[in-house]
Amino acid sequence: MSHMLINKCGDIFKNRCRALAVLAVCLGFLAWGGTARASGVEITIKSGFDGRCKLGGLNPVVVVIEAVGEGRKGVLKLKAGERTYSVPAELERGARKAIRFSIPFFGAEERIEAAFEGEGGDQVKAGHTPVILPERTIFFGVLSDSPKSLYFLNDLDTSGLGGGRAAVVELDRQIPYSLDELENINFIIVEDFRTGELAGSKARLLEDWVALGNCLLAGAGDSAHKNLTGLLAGLREPLRHGDGVMVPVAGGIAGSTPESLRDVVLKHVTPYSLAMAVKGSGLQRRAAGAAKMAGAAGGAVRPERSGLYLIFSLIILYVLAAGAAALAGKRLKWAFGAVVAFFCLFFLGLSLHGGIFKAVAGGAGVRVHGPVSRTYALTCVYPHRGDGARIKISCASFASAQGASPEADALSREVYCPGRTGHYIHSSSYEPGGAKCIVLTAGGDGVISGEIINPLPYDMENCFMIIGDTVIPVGKMGGRERLSVKYSQDHNLRGAGDYNYLDLLYRAAGVKDQRRHLIDYYFYHVDDYRPGGRLIGFARESAEVEINGAGRSFRRTVMNVFPIDIRAGDGSLSLPPEVVRPVADCGPAEEGGSWREYSGGPGGELKLYYVMPPGLEPAEIAITGSPGAGENSVSVYNRAAGRWEALGPEILAGERLRPYLSAGPLALSVRSGARVLIPQMAVKGVEHR
Amino acid sequence: MNAAGNFHTGGENGVLESLYVAVLSFMLAAYMILVVSREEGYDPGLYRNAYVYFMVFDLILFSLFVSFWETGGAAQGKAYLLRAAAGVIILAASPAPLILAIFLAGRINPANFMLPLMLKAVWGLAVVCLRDFLEAVKPGWRWNGFLTGFFIFSVLVLSGLLAFFLTEYRQAVITTLYDRDMPGALFLNPLLSLAGLVYCQAGGGSQAGLDPFYTCLLFWGLAAAALGTAAVKIPGGAGRG
């Protein structure tokens, strides 16, 4: 448009136009700068750990707002990708305020836009482009007074950990992170750091992080007197804590070479930690898959059968009373009207009590019990009135709403959902201090025996156990009920593919309808690599939700997954296939792999890592699925020689086994044009406890 | 019917009342068992639909029943209209507990069900007054009952058919019941008007607000008042008693 105008005009006028345009832009800038000063708020944004964020994880973002002139009141809005967060903020004159957000990044190009909206409607904006590293980057979180001495970790060879690039990030020494933010850190390195000076809550946070299944390395060299204090005091040997491990590195970490440290990491890596390195935190996968629980969450909102029966019986009563009153005759002229009025009032009273004038909620979820229990839930809320609802789920560390662009309040962890229809909110939470592990004994004759317990104080329905490739139906278990188990393994799940496997589980456990979706969600979307068996059961529990500021308790159907440790009866242990679950790596694109099958197509390669349970010295390993047969080629990594070797159908045993296991998890590589079942392994060995 | 003119005498009206409540309850229970208890998840829409279906069915059943409602006839004079109104209102209000039961079972936000009940009562009163007017004009004439029945049929069904043909003829695109493309006069049909109202209440749309409903309510209110007054004023109106 402006071009056309300029072309029409003469040269002189053209120059004038330009001058005018320049002047207008200058004036615009002046005016813009002026409003920013008048608003008197300065916004600074910092993101990530040491300036680096991880894709697909919850990252800390700190927004500092400062009132330059007089005090200000308003709302701080933060936009990252498609997600909006808002926090009410009040600033005294000249005050600075740092507001922490926990933000997931789902795209590598995402930008953060912050805006302070004053009460007068004025706005101050600021933008920030975070450095977002790929999901498979291996973060070495460093707690150190001299972090530069640890930068050599950037050159660590990570081919045994999924091959993502290593990145050293300096952690804030106060550890102002939440547990789910710390989940982005794959390994924490403590070197030249006064661990004992950590605040109690922060030390507990580190412990919980380890207990989840992570690996902490502490230098036991020159700075051992600093490092090995507080929660690390007296650490001489690698110490198991929960599902994770704390490892002292002799000679200190700063003095190590990348190779020697890689060996330490590979030797002690836990399946959880390995899965986090290879597959990332899976936050997005879980949030996307949470829709599977929608049916079960909706089912929990559904009126109970007993409630319907009550209403039926009241209707029958009404019919009888109305009929009697209507046919009563002349003496009771007004009886019919009175009965109608009475029942109207009665139903009205009942509905006030029963809560039809309140919002309705229900939920479903999967809880993986362990030293730190993880709960992934979907809550379904039907607000009573008004357009939209502010929904806050108690003890949720991450909440996201499905559907129309929700807004989240970062501080109170509320999610705002517009509209009056049902809202579905996915949330996840961690609860430290979980139930004790169930222990069963595996005899040499394939008989599993021992005592299982329902650790919950309430009933669990449709219980079943999965021990390796055997599913054992248990049925209903009362609260804290103990059951003696003696079951000869019949390997009824052996060789089952994705769908077949779930179907066998459904039938064995007698699970119907929506509960099946919870099982589906657990197996496909929740990473649970702890070696051992599982006891799975469904329970109804009461949960709390806050809708528009009013508390409301609701029913939630939760699938509880308890770990089962399998011990040897007489010192020699025989683990059936699938007790040690492999961590599967199908490459950065995660193509072709599912939970039990792989179909990578030509050129695809599947790498599998089998982490031996602690305390087990394997003597014999048999790989199922006849490796080397047909079109598959399976190779195993010889850690001693540093090369891949073709693997036939033979059993690895005795001395032959040593080079594959000596310095890290057993690694297999599968190349296949066709669809294959992921190979599983049966282990025989000696147990050292 | 005795000449004392009670709106409620236990006899035929009692049978009507009890049968009316029983049929509605049966219909509601059938919906609950066949539709609601078979559903797996929770869908509030199901209960809103139950409300819509129930109200529509209720109006049809009510129109059928109310034409047999004994009022004592216009011969009782000034008290006639009041008594007839009281009886019809109580009959019209008798499904109220059942409607509340729908809300209670579904835990949905209660709609204002008084509005449709008011329309129902006014329409019922107009039917009763028409019948008594005919009776006052020509007592004992064998066509009186037929004319009343035909009147109900033509208002409820024939005008509905007319609406259907009209929209087909105009090739109008009807998106909701209270649609701008529907001739306003058709909403004098209480069935259309009531269905449109409950559809709005259940979350459906409306292009004309609730105007068609209020027009209909006013029209039948005036009609009932006019017919009732006329029936009373007619000299020698003997009533049916």
Side-chain angles (χ1 to χ4, degrees):
Chain A
M1 196 59 196
S2 62
H3 274 288
M4 281 168 62
L5 263 172
I6 289 165
N7 286 344
K8 274 181 190 172
C9 305
D11 270 357
I12 301 159
F13 190 61
K14 194 172 166 183
N15 286 338
R16 274 186 195 168
C17 271
R18 278 185 185 163
L20 273 173
V22 169
L23 196 68
V25 168
C26 287
L27 275 173
F29 266 115
L30 278 174
W32 183 69
T35 49
R37 260 202 302 280
S39 301
V41 177
E42 268 183 25
I43 303 177
T44 339
I45 306 171
K46 278 187 213 154
S47 65
F49 306 90
D50 192 12
R52 274 166 288 178
C53 302
K54 203 183 228 181
L55 192 67
L58 281 173
N59 294 283
V61 172
V62 182
V63 180
V64 180
I65 45 175
E66 186 172 2
V68 181
E70 72 271 40
R72 299 284 324 207
K73 211 174 173 184
V75 179
L76 179 71
K77 285 203 168 165
L78 197 77
K79 203 166 179 290
E82 288 170 0
R83 298 164 301 283
T84 322
Y85 304 83
S86 65
V87 181
E90 199 179 337
L91 287 174
E92 299 286 318
R93 188 185 168 83
R96 267 165 69 96
K97 200 170 196 176
I99 299 173
R100 297 192 65 87
F101 294 84
S102 217
I103 291 180
F105 291 110
F106 295 141
E109 308 283 305
E110 283 183 345
R111 234 179 98 75
I112 302 175
E113 308 272 354
F116 181 85
E117 288 176 9
E119 276 185 326
D122 54 323
Q123 257 194 1
V124 186
K125 286 186 178 172
H128 170 75
T129 310
V131 180
I132 304 176
L133 300 180
E135 196 163 6
R136 288 159 67 106
T137 311
I138 294 164
F139 274 23
F140 286 93
V142 165
L143 284 172
S144 175
D145 290 338
S146 49
K148 287 205 172 55
S149 63
L150 297 166
Y151 279 8
F152 72 91
L153 287 168
N154 280 323
D155 303 326
L156 199 86
D157 167 27
T158 57
S159 56
L161 295 166
R165 278 193 52 191
V168 174
V169 291
E170 290 170 36
L171 296 181
D172 191 320
R173 296 151 51 83
Q174 307 296 323
I175 318 190
Y177 313 110
S178 65
L179 189 53
D180 19 12
E181 286 168 1
L182 269 189
E183 282 278 79
N184 288 316
I185 308 293
N186 296 80
F187 300 94
I188 289 183
I189 310 284
V190 180
E191 174 75 321
D192 192 17
F193 179 75
R194 287 190 196 282
T195 319
E197 286 176 10
L198 277 176
S201 62
K202 299 302 167 189
R204 267 196 301 284
L205 180 70
L206 276 188
E207 280 181 330
D208 288 343
W209 179 82
V210 172
L212 255 177
N214 287 300
C215 235
L216 183 145
L217 306 179
D222 297 340
S223 60
H225 62 284
K226 277 172 86 179
N227 305 335
L228 303 184
T229 52
L231 80 142
L232 299 176
L235 192 69
R236 293 278 170 270
E237 290 287 311
L239 176 70
R240 292 251 145 213
H241 178 69
D243 288 347
V245 63
M246 298 189 268
V247 184
V249 180
I253 296 171
S256 312
T257 59
E259 289 74 31
S260 64
L261 205 70
R262 179 202 61 197
D263 293 344
V264 171
V265 166
L266 283 179
K267 189 156 192 251
H268 294 105
V269 73
T270 59
Y272 182 87
S273 181
L274 192 58
M276 291 294 265
V278 168
K279 302 174 92 73
S281 73
L283 187 73
Q284 196 175 8
R285 236 181 319 135
R286 285 195 301 270
K292 281 187 180 168
M293 299 192 282
V301 185
R302 191 178 172 224
E304 274 185 76
R305 215 162 266 273
S306 57
L308 281 181
Y309 290 154
L310 175 74
I311 291 169
F312 274 141
S313 52
L314 284 172
I315 288 176
I316 292 169
L317 202 66
Y318 174 57
V319 173
L320 292 177
L327 300 170
K330 281 182 211 168
R331 281 190 204 163
L332 296 161
K333 279 187 229 164
W334 291 93
F336 183 72
V339 166
V340 171
F342 172 76
F343 271 87
C344 272
L345 285 177
F346 186 72
F347 274 91
L348 207 63
L350 204 66
S351 45
L352 282 175
H353 176 72
I356 64 169
F357 292 99
K358 289 179 193 162
V360 182
V366 171
R367 180 170 298 140
V368 182
H369 292 263
V372 177
S373 300
R374 298 174 278 155
T375 307
Y376 308 109
L378 190 72
T379 309
C380 159
V381 171
Y382 290 87
H384 168 52
R385 274 191 203 294
D387 290 327
R390 297 203 142 271
I391 299 160
K392 180 183 175 186
I393 295 166
S394 58
C395 34
S397 52
F398 166 69
S400 76
Q402 321 235 313
S405 62
E407 236 178 66
D409 185 327
L411 288 192
S412 57
R413 299 209 186 263
E414 278 183 338
V415 182
Y416 178 75
C417 303
R420 265 185 85 169
T421 45
H423 305 304
Y424 287 88
I425 294 116
H426 167 62
S427 61
S428 64
S429 56
Y430 294 102
E431 295 129 63
K436 258 192 169 175
C437 199
I438 301 163
V439 178
L440 292 181
T441 313
D445 48 357
V447 174
I448 294 279
S449 57
E451 191 182 58
I452 55 169
I453 176 175
N454 167 13
L456 302 174
Y458 37 83
D459 291 1
M460 274 207 301
E461 291 166 348
N462 299 109
C463 299
F464 59 99
M465 280 194 290
I466 300 177
I467 309 286
D469 53 2
T470 304
V471 57
I472 305 169
V474 176
K476 188 173 175 178
M477 287 182 88
R480 306 238 186 262
E481 186 183 338
R482 287 165 184 276
L483 276 179
S484 268
V485 182
K486 196 162 190 188
Y487 197 93
S488 172
Q489 294 177 55
D490 45 13
H491 309 290
N492 47 15
L493 297 170
R494 180 165 286 178
D498 278 351
Y499 294 102
N500 209 354
Y501 186 90
L502 288 185
D503 208 49
L504 285 167
L505 286 191
Y506 299 154
R507 266 188 280 158
V511 185
K512 288 205 182 85
D513 304 335
Q514 302 111 357
R515 290 184 177 184
R516 293 185 167 190
H517 301 309
L518 295 183
I519 297 183
D520 185 332
Y521 181 75
Y522 168 69
F523 281 107
Y524 279 97
H525 300 274
V526 176
D527 295 327
D528 186 9
Y529 292 101
R530 191 179 204 280
R534 300 284 181 278
L535 170 68
I536 297 176
F538 296 85
R540 277 179 177 189
E541 57 176 41
S542 173
E544 290 286 328
V545 66
E546 225 177 272
I547 304 163
N548 293 330
R552 193 97 174 86
S553 68
F554 65 96
R555 274 185 299 147
R556 184 151 81 176
T557 310
V558 174
M559 175 174 137
N560 290 286
V561 182
F562 294 101
I564 297 177
D565 268 357
I566 296 170
R567 298 274 165 83
D570 49 4
S572 72
L573 181 62
S574 168
L575 296 178
E578 298 185 40
V579 166
V580 179
R581 294 197 201 179
V583 175
D585 175 10
C586 348
E590 295 225 358
E591 269 169 11
S594 80
W595 152 67
R596 294 181 63 77
E597 293 172 7
Y598 175 68
S599 50
E605 185 190 12
L606 173 73
K607 279 194 182 141
L608 298 165
Y609 303 98
Y610 301 81
V611 184
M612 290 299 145
L616 172 70
E617 196 187 302
E620 191 183 307
I621 288 178
I623 308 283
T624 64
S626 55
E631 289 177 28
N632 323 343
S633 80
V634 179
S635 35
V636 60
Y637 189 65
N638 186 329
R639 290 191 183 277
R643 61 163 190 269
W644 292 92
E645 293 171 358
L647 180 70
E650 72 268 32
I651 291 167
L652 300 171
E655 281 304 311
R656 254 213 85 198
L657 192 57
R658 189 145 300 163
Y660 307 114
L661 279 172
S662 58
L666 182 83
L668 290 190
S669 159
V670 179
R671 286 172 192 276
S672 168
R675 196 175 65 109
V676 283
L677 282 180
I678 290 179
Q680 303 287 347
M681 66 175 193
V683 190
K684 281 186 184 149
V686 185
E687 199 179 26
H688 303 289
R689 293 276 169 193
Chain B
M1 188 92 182
N2 59 25
N6 287 333
F7 76 91
H8 184 254
T9 53
E12 293 84 352
N13 279 351
V15 174
L16 279 184
E17 281 165 346
S18 47
L19 207 58
Y20 179 60
V21 171
V23 170
L24 284 178
S25 305
F26 180 74
M27 134 97 185
L28 182 62
Y31 184 88
M32 291 283 182
I33 291 167
L34 292 178
V35 181
V36 174
S37 65
R38 280 189 185 179
E39 133 213 56
E40 276 192 4
Y42 171 69
D43 178 14
L46 221 52
Y47 298 94
R48 289 196 202 105
N49 285 350
Y51 171 65
V52 173
Y53 300 150
F54 183 84
M55 293 311 277
V56 170
F57 178 78
D58 176 32
L59 184 77
I60 296 169
L61 193 73
F62 177 75
S63 306
L64 187 72
F65 275 48
V66 84
S67 63
F68 294 96
W69 185 260
E70 298 286 354
T71 54
Q76 27 180 335
K78 280 183 183 169
Y80 158 73
L81 206 54
L82 210 63
R83 285 193 167 150
V88 170
I89 286 171
I90 287 182
L91 184 69
S94 59
L98 302 176
I99 299 167
L100 279 168
I102 296 175
F103 298 144
L104 192 60
R107 299 206 277 174
I108 54 171
N109 305 330
N112 183 359
F113 60 90
M114 295 309 278
L115 286 179
L117 289 188
M118 265 160 70
L119 179 64
K120 213 174 86 178
V122 165
W123 155 249
L125 191 61
V127 170
V128 166
C129 287
L130 175 75
R131 189 201 59 204
D132 289 344
F133 172 73
L134 289 175
E135 196 63 29
V137 174
K138 220 166 182 182
W141 191 35
R142 62 187 288 263
W143 290 97
N144 281 351
F146 170 75
L147 282 175
T148 318
F150 186 70
F151 166 75
I152 297 169
F153 178 75
S154 55
V155 170
L156 293 190
V157 180
L158 289 186
S159 72
L161 279 178
L162 185 68
F164 174 70
F165 290 139
L166 213 62
T167 50
E168 286 291 303
Y169 169 70
R170 287 185 180 175
Q171 299 189 326
V173 181
I174 303 293
T175 54
T176 174
L177 265 164
Y178 284 171
D179 202 288
R180 263 192 235 101
D181 286 344
M182 287 266 260
L186 282 174
F187 288 114
L188 295 183
N189 175 344
L191 192 60
L192 270 185
S193 200
L194 181 131
L197 174 72
V198 291
Y199 181 64
C200 285
Q201 289 178 335
S206 163
Q207 294 181 355
L210 292 183
D211 291 348
F213 167 76
Y214 289 116
T215 318
C216 181
L217 190 70
L218 198 68
F219 176 81
W220 289 111
L222 289 177
L227 284 169
T229 319
V232 173
K233 291 247 166 102
I234 283 175
R240 288 208 294 172

